[in-house]
């Protein structure tokens, strides 16, 4: 049954541990219920929450209804090969990326090993077109099931019909219900080796032990946000409980659990201004800063 809770603490639903409380939290249990909730919330500008790993909610009361895909956790690995040797994997939006990556690796399926260490859910990874050095999530998507915010109807799109961009799927007015991927058979030992390498490389440079929202800014074309912030001498800069990571300058960490959204936003503004002054580059946030209200197709 679809649940609706009130005054839900958003800080506990995000990896950075920041944010006030949602007036309404909707928790559909399956794709049908997701469609039903989206239909009911038509015109109310719902905010969709996956793993909360890239999201910054404001302090205080959050008036927009929040819909979490947390309970949509069906994962199917179709091991019967088709003629091309491909194996289909279908995951609902709330499936944890780390669990899916581990399950496919251990089944000897190649294609997700570069995603090791990326937190969050399948839905979030689609909308953000998550990725790193080894490529982006969208490259493996064969088909998605998406719910129109205007009609509450489930639609299907081929992966090739999605206008994937750097850290975005390029679509507005839809929520992700499920995604299907095509992987190939590989050697488990070799896949484990590659996954380990990716994980260690990340662990060496990123502050994975601290609460954060992942990379704060997108890399500007041909450059690195982390290197630009580092060169501006901003590592360790602190506002309240928020600090520019000493380990990787493109992370803001909630150093002692006391950071507020205002602290994080203030640091973001300072970093953008200083980097622009010093290098002439205007950094664009990669994280989703949840606005109290927006004007989207959902308002129509
Ligand atoms: N660098 C510095 N100082 C720093 C951080 C980085 O000089 O404080 C330099 C590094 O030495 C390197 C360059 O900047 O020469 C790039 O840094 P890194 O290799 O750490 O990669 P990145 O471009 O900062 C990207 C993604 C990460 C992803 C990693 C690994 C973006 C914005 N970031 O980081 O994604 O994990 O590659 O694949 O695309 C995320 O999206 O949340 C995220 C963390």
């Amino acid at each position: 049954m679809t649940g609706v809770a009130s005054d839900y603490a958003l800080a506990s639903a995000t990896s950075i541990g920041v944010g006030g409380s949602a007036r309404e939290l909707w928790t559909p249990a399956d794709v049908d219920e997701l469609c039903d909730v989206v239909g009911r919330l038509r015109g109310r500008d719902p905010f969709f929450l996956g793993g909360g790993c890239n999201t910054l909610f404001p302090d205080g009361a959050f008036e927009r209804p929040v819909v979490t895909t947390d309970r949509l956790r069906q994962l199917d690995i179709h091991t019967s090969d088709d003629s091309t040797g491909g194996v289909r994997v279908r995951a609902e939006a709330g499936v944890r990326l780390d669990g899916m990556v581990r399950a496919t690796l251990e089944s000897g399926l190649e294609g997700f090993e570069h995603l090791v260490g990326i937190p969050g859910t399948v839905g979030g990874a689609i909308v953000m077109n998550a990725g790193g050095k080894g490529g982006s999530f969208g490259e493996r998507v064969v088909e998605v099931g998406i719910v129109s915010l205007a009609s509450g109807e489930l639609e299907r799109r081929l992966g090739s019909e999605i206008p994937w961009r750097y850290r975005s799927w390029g679509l507005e007015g839809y929520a992700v219900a499920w995604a299907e991927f095509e992987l190939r058979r590989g050697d488990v030992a070799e896949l484990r080796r590659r996954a380990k390498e990716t994980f260690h490389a990340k662990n060496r440079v990123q502050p994975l032990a601290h609460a954060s929202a992942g990379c704060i800014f997108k890399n500007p074309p041909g450059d690195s946000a982390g290197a630009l912030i580092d060169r501006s001498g901003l590592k360790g800069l602190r506002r309240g409980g928020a600090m520019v990571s000493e380990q990787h300058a493109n992370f803001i960490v909630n150093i002692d659990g006391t950071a507020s959204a205002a602290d994080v936003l203030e640091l973001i503004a300072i970093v953008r201004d200083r980097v622009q002054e010093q290098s002439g580059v205007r950094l664009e946030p990669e994280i989703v800063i949840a606005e109290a209200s927006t004007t989207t197709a959902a308002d129509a």
Side-chain angles (χ1 to χ4, degrees):
M1 254 290 277
T2 304
V4 58
S6 55
D7 291 325
Y8 177 78
L10 290 165
S12 64
T14 63
S15 56
I16 193 167
V18 165
S21 61
R23 287 259 190 256
E24 275 170 49
L25 178 81
W26 294 81
T27 54
D30 55 33
V31 171
D32 284 347
E33 287 194 4
L34 176 65
C35 293
D36 179 54
V37 168
V38 169
R40 286 204 226 179
L41 295 177
R42 242 180 312 180
R44 292 194 52 212
D45 198 13
F47 183 89
F48 291 88
L49 184 62
C53 297
N54 267 149
T55 303
L56 182 70
F57 282 110
D59 302 314
F62 190 68
E63 303 289 346
R64 293 166 66 189
V66 176
V67 181
T68 172
T69 51
D70 188 53
R71 292 167 73 197
L72 275 71
R73 292 209 190 201
Q74 180 103 11
L75 174 67
D76 298 302
I77 301 178
H78 301 284
T79 44
S80 59
D81 286 14
D82 61 23
S83 55
T84 61
V87 177
R88 289 287 170 109
V89 173
R90 189 185 158 114
E92 287 185 346
V95 167
R96 266 41 203 171
L97 216 52
D98 59 352
M100 180 175 81
V101 168
R102 211 174 319 118
T104 53
L105 278 176
E106 292 305 320
S107 305
L109 300 177
E110 190 177 326
F112 283 158
E113 55 286 358
H114 63 284
L115 299 175
V116 164
I118 297 185
T121 57
V122 166
I126 296 264
V127 171
M128 300 296 294
N129 194 13
K133 306 257 175 323
S136 299
F137 202 49
E139 291 161 24
R140 295 274 174 266
V141 175
V142 176
E143 196 175 10
V144 284
I146 55 180
V147 186
S148 160
L149 304 192
S151 68
E153 297 291 324
L154 184 69
E155 299 176 18
R156 297 166 83 112
R157 290 275 193 294
L158 294 177
S160 56
E161 293 171 330
I162 304 282
W164 303 105
R165 300 188 194 135
Y166 167 60
R167 295 295 179 270
S168 164
W169 70 333
L171 279 190
E172 272 179 36
Y174 291 93
V176 179
W178 52 262
E180 199 163 297
F181 310 90
E182 186 164 274
L183 303 180
R184 303 190 65 77
R185 291 202 174 280
D187 174 56
V188 180
E190 168 60 14
L191 292 173
R192 280 197 194 132
R193 193 193 60 74
R194 273 194 253 155
K196 229 182 198 168
E197 209 173 83
T198 304
F199 182 75
H200 287 314
K202 258 178 106 89
N203 207 22
R204 261 199 309 277
V205 296
Q206 298 185 1
L208 302 184
H210 286 104
S212 82
C215 285
I216 293 285
F217 298 101
K218 294 179 183 171
N219 281 337
D223 216 330
S224 156
L228 286 166
I229 301 166
D230 194 352
R231 283 208 296 275
S232 299
L234 296 169
K235 275 184 169 174
L237 183 71
R238 195 166 166 170
R239 285 296 176 274
M243 187 178 90
V244 176
S245 167
E246 307 262 15
Q247 205 178 343
H248 193 301
N250 199 14
F251 284 69
I252 289 178
V253 293
N254 184 355
I255 200 72
D256 55 6
T258 65
S260 65
D263 294 339
V264 177
L265 291 170
E266 194 182 336
L267 267 190
I268 288 175
I270 297 170
V271 167
R272 287 184 96 183
D273 288 350
R274 295 260 188 96
V275 168
Q276 183 155 31
E277 277 161 29
Q278 304 222 354
S279 353
V281 178
R282 188 79 181 151
L283 293 175
E284 291 303 325
E286 172 185 314
I287 60 166
V288 175
I289 299 171
E291 306 284 350
S293 73
T294 58
T295 43
T296 65
D299 296 324

PDB file of all heavy atoms in Angstrom, residues 62-78:
ATOM      1  N   PHE A  62       9.930  21.604   4.107  1.00  0.00           N
ATOM      2  CA  PHE A  62       9.961  21.459   2.650  1.00  0.00           C
ATOM      3  C   PHE A  62       8.527  21.171   2.221  1.00  0.00           C
ATOM      4  O   PHE A  62       7.969  20.115   2.539  1.00  0.00           O
ATOM      5  CB  PHE A  62      10.906  20.305   2.270  1.00  0.00           C
ATOM      6  CG  PHE A  62      11.208  20.214   0.806  1.00  0.00           C
ATOM      7  CD1 PHE A  62      11.953  21.192   0.164  1.00  0.00           C
ATOM      8  CD2 PHE A  62      10.736  19.148   0.059  1.00  0.00           C
ATOM      9  CE1 PHE A  62      12.245  21.098  -1.194  1.00  0.00           C
ATOM     10  CE2 PHE A  62      11.016  19.049  -1.304  1.00  0.00           C
ATOM     11  CZ  PHE A  62      11.775  20.036  -1.929  1.00  0.00           C
ATOM     12  N   GLU A  63       7.940  22.137   1.521  1.00  0.00           N
ATOM     13  CA  GLU A  63       6.497  22.076   1.258  1.00  0.00           C
ATOM     14  C   GLU A  63       6.122  21.151   0.100  1.00  0.00           C
ATOM     15  O   GLU A  63       5.012  20.638   0.054  1.00  0.00           O
ATOM     16  CB  GLU A  63       5.949  23.483   0.964  1.00  0.00           C
ATOM     17  CG  GLU A  63       6.200  24.517   2.068  1.00  0.00           C
ATOM     18  CD  GLU A  63       5.359  24.260   3.313  1.00  0.00           C
ATOM     19  OE1 GLU A  63       4.400  23.464   3.232  1.00  0.00           O
ATOM     20  OE2 GLU A  63       5.697  24.838   4.375  1.00  0.00           O
ATOM     21  N   ARG A  64       7.036  20.951  -0.851  1.00  0.00           N
ATOM     22  CA  ARG A  64       6.668  20.093  -2.004  1.00  0.00           C
ATOM     23  C   ARG A  64       6.527  18.643  -1.542  1.00  0.00           C
ATOM     24  O   ARG A  64       7.307  18.185  -0.707  1.00  0.00           O
ATOM     25  CB  ARG A  64       7.760  20.161  -3.090  1.00  0.00           C
ATOM     26  CG  ARG A  64       7.860  21.516  -3.753  1.00  0.00           C
ATOM     27  CD  ARG A  64       9.146  21.642  -4.548  1.00  0.00           C
ATOM     28  NE  ARG A  64       9.198  20.737  -5.684  1.00  0.00           N
ATOM     29  CZ  ARG A  64      10.294  20.543  -6.425  1.00  0.00           C
ATOM     30  NH1 ARG A  64      11.421  21.167  -6.120  1.00  0.00           N
ATOM     31  NH2 ARG A  64      10.253  19.722  -7.452  1.00  0.00           N
ATOM     32  N   PRO A  65       5.561  17.909  -2.079  1.00  0.00           N
ATOM     33  CA  PRO A  65       5.484  16.491  -1.722  1.00  0.00           C
ATOM     34  C   PRO A  65       6.735  15.758  -2.208  1.00  0.00           C
ATOM     35  O   PRO A  65       7.202  16.001  -3.324  1.00  0.00           O
ATOM     36  CB  PRO A  65       4.237  15.979  -2.457  1.00  0.00           C
ATOM     37  CG  PRO A  65       3.800  17.063  -3.374  1.00  0.00           C
ATOM     38  CD  PRO A  65       4.535  18.326  -3.054  1.00  0.00           C
ATOM     39  N   VAL A  66       7.280  14.898  -1.347  1.00  0.00           N
ATOM     40  CA  VAL A  66       8.463  14.115  -1.714  1.00  0.00           C
ATOM     41  C   VAL A  66       8.004  12.687  -1.989  1.00  0.00           C
ATOM     42  O   VAL A  66       7.253  12.107  -1.207  1.00  0.00           O
ATOM     43  CB  VAL A  66       9.510  14.142  -0.581  1.00  0.00           C
ATOM     44  CG1 VAL A  66      10.700  13.240  -0.912  1.00  0.00           C
ATOM     45  CG2 VAL A  66       9.983  15.571  -0.318  1.00  0.00           C
ATOM     46  N   VAL A  67       8.434  12.140  -3.128  1.00  0.00           N
ATOM     47  CA  VAL A  67       8.101  10.757  -3.478  1.00  0.00           C
ATOM     48  C   VAL A  67       9.402   9.963  -3.479  1.00  0.00           C
ATOM     49  O   VAL A  67      10.337  10.309  -4.209  1.00  0.00           O
ATOM     50  CB  VAL A  67       7.461  10.671  -4.889  1.00  0.00           C
ATOM     51  CG1 VAL A  67       7.093   9.224  -5.216  1.00  0.00           C
ATOM     52  CG2 VAL A  67       6.248  11.585  -4.992  1.00  0.00           C
ATOM     53  N   THR A  68       9.488   8.933  -2.649  1.00  0.00           N
ATOM     54  CA  THR A  68      10.706   8.123  -2.651  1.00  0.00           C
ATOM     55  C   THR A  68      10.466   6.804  -3.392  1.00  0.00           C
ATOM     56  O   THR A  68       9.409   6.185  -3.240  1.00  0.00           O
ATOM     57  CB  THR A  68      11.235   7.840  -1.230  1.00  0.00           C
ATOM     58  OG1 THR A  68      12.317   6.895  -1.335  1.00  0.00           O
ATOM     59  CG2 THR A  68      10.182   7.247  -0.320  1.00  0.00           C
ATOM     60  N   THR A  69      11.461   6.395  -4.185  1.00  0.00           N
ATOM     61  CA  THR A  69      11.356   5.127  -4.918  1.00  0.00           C
ATOM     62  C   THR A  69      12.008   3.993  -4.124  1.00  0.00           C
ATOM     63  O   THR A  69      12.241   2.909  -4.658  1.00  0.00           O
ATOM     64  CB  THR A  69      12.027   5.254  -6.304  1.00  0.00           C
ATOM     65  OG1 THR A  69      13.348   5.782  -6.117  1.00  0.00           O
ATOM     66  CG2 THR A  69      11.237   6.156  -7.218  1.00  0.00           C
ATOM     67  N   ASP A  70      12.262   4.250  -2.854  1.00  0.00           N
ATOM     68  CA  ASP A  70      12.992   3.311  -1.998  1.00  0.00           C
ATOM     69  C   ASP A  70      12.433   1.882  -2.014  1.00  0.00           C
ATOM     70  O   ASP A  70      13.176   0.916  -1.867  1.00  0.00           O
ATOM     71  CB  ASP A  70      12.966   3.851  -0.562  1.00  0.00           C
ATOM     72  CG  ASP A  70      13.855   3.039   0.349  1.00  0.00           C
ATOM     73  OD1 ASP A  70      15.027   2.872  -0.012  1.00  0.00           O
ATOM     74  OD2 ASP A  70      13.371   2.560   1.393  1.00  0.00           O
ATOM     75  N   ARG A  71      11.105   1.739  -2.175  1.00  0.00           N
ATOM     76  CA  ARG A  71      10.516   0.389  -2.096  1.00  0.00           C
ATOM     77  C   ARG A  71      10.447  -0.326  -3.450  1.00  0.00           C
ATOM     78  O   ARG A  71      10.026  -1.482  -3.518  1.00  0.00           O
ATOM     79  CB  ARG A  71       9.115   0.480  -1.482  1.00  0.00           C
ATOM     80  CG  ARG A  71       9.163   0.893  -0.003  1.00  0.00           C
ATOM     81  CD  ARG A  71       7.815   1.287   0.517  1.00  0.00           C
ATOM     82  NE  ARG A  71       6.919   0.163   0.713  1.00  0.00           N
ATOM     83  CZ  ARG A  71       5.595   0.275   0.857  1.00  0.00           C
ATOM     84  NH1 ARG A  71       5.032   1.481   0.820  1.00  0.00           N
ATOM     85  NH2 ARG A  71       4.858  -0.792   1.030  1.00  0.00           N
ATOM     86  N   LEU A  72      10.824   0.364  -4.522  1.00  0.00           N
ATOM     87  CA  LEU A  72      10.799  -0.283  -5.851  1.00  0.00           C
ATOM     88  C   LEU A  72      12.126  -1.008  -6.062  1.00  0.00           C
ATOM     89  O   LEU A  72      13.048  -0.495  -6.697  1.00  0.00           O
ATOM     90  CB  LEU A  72      10.582   0.764  -6.952  1.00  0.00           C
ATOM     91  CG  LEU A  72       9.131   1.140  -7.241  1.00  0.00           C
ATOM     92  CD1 LEU A  72       8.549   1.962  -6.101  1.00  0.00           C
ATOM     93  CD2 LEU A  72       9.032   1.926  -8.527  1.00  0.00           C
ATOM     94  N   ARG A  73      12.236  -2.213  -5.505  1.00  0.00           N
ATOM     95  CA  ARG A  73      13.545  -2.872  -5.443  1.00  0.00           C
ATOM     96  C   ARG A  73      13.638  -4.183  -6.204  1.00  0.00           C
ATOM     97  O   ARG A  73      14.486  -5.020  -5.914  1.00  0.00           O
ATOM     98  CB  ARG A  73      13.895  -3.121  -3.982  1.00  0.00           C
ATOM     99  CG  ARG A  73      14.151  -1.822  -3.244  1.00  0.00           C
ATOM    100  CD  ARG A  73      15.105  -2.064  -2.142  1.00  0.00           C
ATOM    101  NE  ARG A  73      15.211  -0.913  -1.272  1.00  0.00           N
ATOM    102  CZ  ARG A  73      16.235  -0.706  -0.475  1.00  0.00           C
ATOM    103  NH1 ARG A  73      17.212  -1.560  -0.434  1.00  0.00           N
ATOM    104  NH2 ARG A  73      16.265   0.354   0.292  1.00  0.00           N
ATOM    105  N   GLN A  74      12.758  -4.388  -7.167  1.00  0.00           N
ATOM    106  CA  GLN A  74      12.796  -5.641  -7.934  1.00  0.00           C
ATOM    107  C   GLN A  74      14.008  -5.645  -8.874  1.00  0.00           C
ATOM    108  O   GLN A  74      14.209  -4.692  -9.629  1.00  0.00           O
ATOM    109  CB  GLN A  74      11.509  -5.730  -8.743  1.00  0.00           C
ATOM    110  CG  GLN A  74      11.395  -6.942  -9.586  1.00  0.00           C
ATOM    111  CD  GLN A  74      10.453  -7.977  -8.956  1.00  0.00           C
ATOM    112  OE1 GLN A  74       9.740  -7.682  -7.999  1.00  0.00           O
ATOM    113  NE2 GLN A  74      10.476  -9.158  -9.487  1.00  0.00           N
ATOM    114  N   LEU A  75      14.807  -6.718  -8.817  1.00  0.00           N
ATOM    115  CA  LEU A  75      15.983  -6.856  -9.695  1.00  0.00           C
ATOM    116  C   LEU A  75      15.922  -8.220 -10.369  1.00  0.00           C
ATOM    117  O   LEU A  75      15.857  -9.236  -9.684  1.00  0.00           O
ATOM    118  CB  LEU A  75      17.272  -6.727  -8.870  1.00  0.00           C
ATOM    119  CG  LEU A  75      18.587  -6.988  -9.607  1.00  0.00           C
ATOM    120  CD1 LEU A  75      18.861  -5.908 -10.651  1.00  0.00           C
ATOM    121  CD2 LEU A  75      19.759  -7.041  -8.614  1.00  0.00           C
ATOM    122  N   ASP A  76      15.908  -8.246 -11.705  1.00  0.00           N
ATOM    123  CA  ASP A  76      15.856  -9.525 -12.429  1.00  0.00           C
ATOM    124  C   ASP A  76      17.052  -9.635 -13.361  1.00  0.00           C
ATOM    125  O   ASP A  76      17.288  -8.736 -14.171  1.00  0.00           O
ATOM    126  CB  ASP A  76      14.583  -9.608 -13.297  1.00  0.00           C
ATOM    127  CG  ASP A  76      13.340  -9.538 -12.447  1.00  0.00           C
ATOM    128  OD1 ASP A  76      13.194 -10.392 -11.561  1.00  0.00           O
ATOM    129  OD2 ASP A  76      12.526  -8.613 -12.654  1.00  0.00           O
ATOM    130  N   ILE A  77      17.775 -10.731 -13.228  1.00  0.00           N
ATOM    131  CA  ILE A  77      18.892 -10.994 -14.144  1.00  0.00           C
ATOM    132  C   ILE A  77      18.484 -12.173 -15.012  1.00  0.00           C
ATOM    133  O   ILE A  77      18.295 -13.277 -14.511  1.00  0.00           O
ATOM    134  CB  ILE A  77      20.189 -11.302 -13.365  1.00  0.00           C
ATOM    135  CG1 ILE A  77      20.550 -10.104 -12.460  1.00  0.00           C
ATOM    136  CG2 ILE A  77      21.337 -11.610 -14.322  1.00  0.00           C
ATOM    137  CD1 ILE A  77      21.782 -10.311 -11.598  1.00  0.00           C
ATOM    138  N   HIS A  78      18.277 -11.906 -16.312  1.00  0.00           N
ATOM    139  CA  HIS A  78      17.843 -12.970 -17.229  1.00  0.00           C
ATOM    140  C   HIS A  78      19.066 -13.664 -17.783  1.00  0.00           C
ATOM    141  O   HIS A  78      19.710 -13.154 -18.690  1.00  0.00           O
ATOM    142  CB  HIS A  78      17.006 -12.384 -18.374  1.00  0.00           C
ATOM    143  CG  HIS A  78      15.793 -11.680 -17.885  1.00  0.00           C
ATOM    144  ND1 HIS A  78      14.681 -12.339 -17.438  1.00  0.00           N
ATOM    145  CD2 HIS A  78      15.531 -10.369 -17.734  1.00  0.00           C
ATOM    146  CE1 HIS A  78      13.770 -11.464 -17.043  1.00  0.00           C
ATOM    147  NE2 HIS A  78      14.266 -10.256 -17.208  1.00  0.00           N
TER     148      HIS A  78
END
